Structures are given as C-alpha cells and as structure tokens.
C-alpha cells in the first residue's frame, strides 16, 4: 500500500488550460495562446505541456497542463479577480490533497495495527480476512478519490 501511496502523493498538482479558461471566464483558445506565448518567452518546449482531449463534437483538441508555478506565472498577467479565482482553486486542490493524504495514512496505520493485534492475540484467520478486506476497500476508495483530485489519468 505504501509504495502506491508515495507515488501518488508525490505527483504534482496540475491545472489544465481548460480549467484555467473556466475559472477566468476566458475562451480556451485565448488561454492556450497566452500559454504558448508564456512558454516561448520562458524558453520552454511548448509541446511537452500539451495533451490531447476530445471536445463535445469528438474532435481532437490540445489542452496544456501546467504546474503551480507556471499557472501563477500565466495568471499574473490577468486581472486581480481572475488571478484570485485561480489562486483560490490552487488552495482548494492543496487542501484536498492534504486531507486525502491524512485519510490514507490513517487507513494504512489501521491496517498495520490490525496485523499486529492479529499476530499478538491470535485472532482467527476468518476475522483477520474480514478486517483486511475492509481496510483494502477503504484504501482503494481513497486512492481513487486522490487520483481524481490530482487529475491523474489511468
């Protein structure tokens, strides 16, 4: 459980150009243009930030995936209200990640405790199987929620 946990929680929190467009009320093509200009100015490879998605008419489109530093760099050129909307969303993403990490740590600790108690007190195999299955189900649910929160694709 812990290897998967560390891999997942060490993933960067990102924001897409579509989400930035939605938060700022700007058109996605305009946000994409601003991102390309910014990345060129910073001498970064624009193509390494692009991802393909399918729009509502099932056409391939490009969106950009930015980390916190690049997102904040982009929106500092926008109005104060728009910057504030994006910064609030970043805080929300960070808080969700911390909360999920706490919950995942708790279920991992419970699983370790259940293992130890089962060994020390000689709990029956059937009882241990029940607690193990419950713990695994909770863990899988939290991991799925964390993946959604972090925007990770499977």
């Amino acid at each position: 459980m812990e290897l998967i946990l560390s891999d997942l929680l060490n993933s960067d929190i990102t924001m897409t150009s579509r989400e930035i467009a939605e938060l700022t009320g700007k058109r996605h093509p305009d946000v994409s243009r601003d991102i390309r200009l910014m990345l060129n100015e910073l001498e970064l490879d624009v193509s390494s930030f692009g991802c393909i998605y399918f729009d509502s008419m099932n056409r391939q489109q490009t969106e950009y995936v930015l980390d916190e530093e690049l997102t904040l760099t982009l929106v500092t050129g926008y109005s104060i209200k728009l910057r504030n909307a994006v910064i609030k969303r970043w805080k929300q993403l960070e808080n969700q990640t911390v909360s999920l990490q706490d919950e995942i740590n708790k279920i991992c600790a419970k699983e370790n405790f259940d293992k130890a108690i089962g060994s020390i007190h000689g709990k029956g195999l059937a009882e241990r199987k029940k607690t193990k299955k419950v713990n695994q189900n909770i863990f899988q649910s939290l991991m799925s929620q964390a993946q959604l929160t972090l925007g990770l694709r499977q």
Side-chain angles (χ1 to χ4, degrees):
M1 275 195 239
E2 292 174 27
L3 177 62
I4 296 170
L5 173 65
S6 65
D7 288 346
L8 179 66
L9 293 174
N10 287 333
S11 299
D12 291 330
I13 299 173
T14 59
M15 194 174 289
T16 67
S17 52
R18 290 191 295 161
E19 186 172 9
I20 294 168
E22 185 179 318
L23 288 167
T24 60
K26 290 182 168 280
R27 293 178 344 108
H28 183 247
D30 295 335
V31 171
S32 295
R33 178 203 61 223
D34 294 344
I35 289 172
R36 287 190 301 275
L37 290 170
M38 175 190 71
L39 294 173
N40 284 326
E41 182 74 22
L42 295 172
E43 298 178 0
L44 296 172
D45 179 19
V46 174
S47 65
S48 65
F49 295 90
C51 288
I52 299 297
Y53 75 96
F54 292 91
D55 67 11
S56 60
M57 293 173 33
N58 208 28
R59 297 175 299 188
Q60 281 191 351
Q61 301 290 336
T62 301
E63 70 179 352
Y64 297 95
V65 180
L66 304 178
D67 63 14
E68 180 178 12
E69 179 183 327
L70 290 174
T71 301
L72 295 178
T73 300
L74 174 72
V75 300
T76 56
Y78 295 166
S79 76
I80 291 171
K81 281 187 176 183
L82 300 183
R83 281 196 308 259
N84 185 253
V86 172
I87 290 168
K88 282 181 180 177
R89 176 67 178 136
W90 267 111
K91 294 294 182 194
Q92 184 183 39
L93 288 171
E94 289 172 348
N95 290 339
Q96 286 174 344
T97 302
V98 168
S99 175
L100 284 169
Q101 184 172 0
D102 289 346
E103 290 300 313
I104 290 169
N105 289 343
K106 285 178 191 174
I107 194 64
C108 288
K110 182 182 181 315
E111 173 63 13
N112 289 335
F113 178 77
D114 288 350
K115 269 193 243 180
I117 292 297
S119 298
I120 293 170
H121 296 296
K123 274 190 179 177
L125 187 58
E127 181 64 27
R128 176 65 188 119
K129 283 182 179 178
K130 280 191 240 175
T131 62
K132 183 176 181 180
K133 186 71 175 165
V134 168
N135 290 344
Q136 285 176 336
N137 288 341
I138 294 169
F139 179 78
Q140 288 302 325
S141 174
L142 288 168
M143 293 301 283
S144 295
Q145 189 178 351
Q147 288 176 326
L148 288 172
T149 299
L150 296 173
L152 301 177
R153 294 174 176 87
Q154 292 183 341

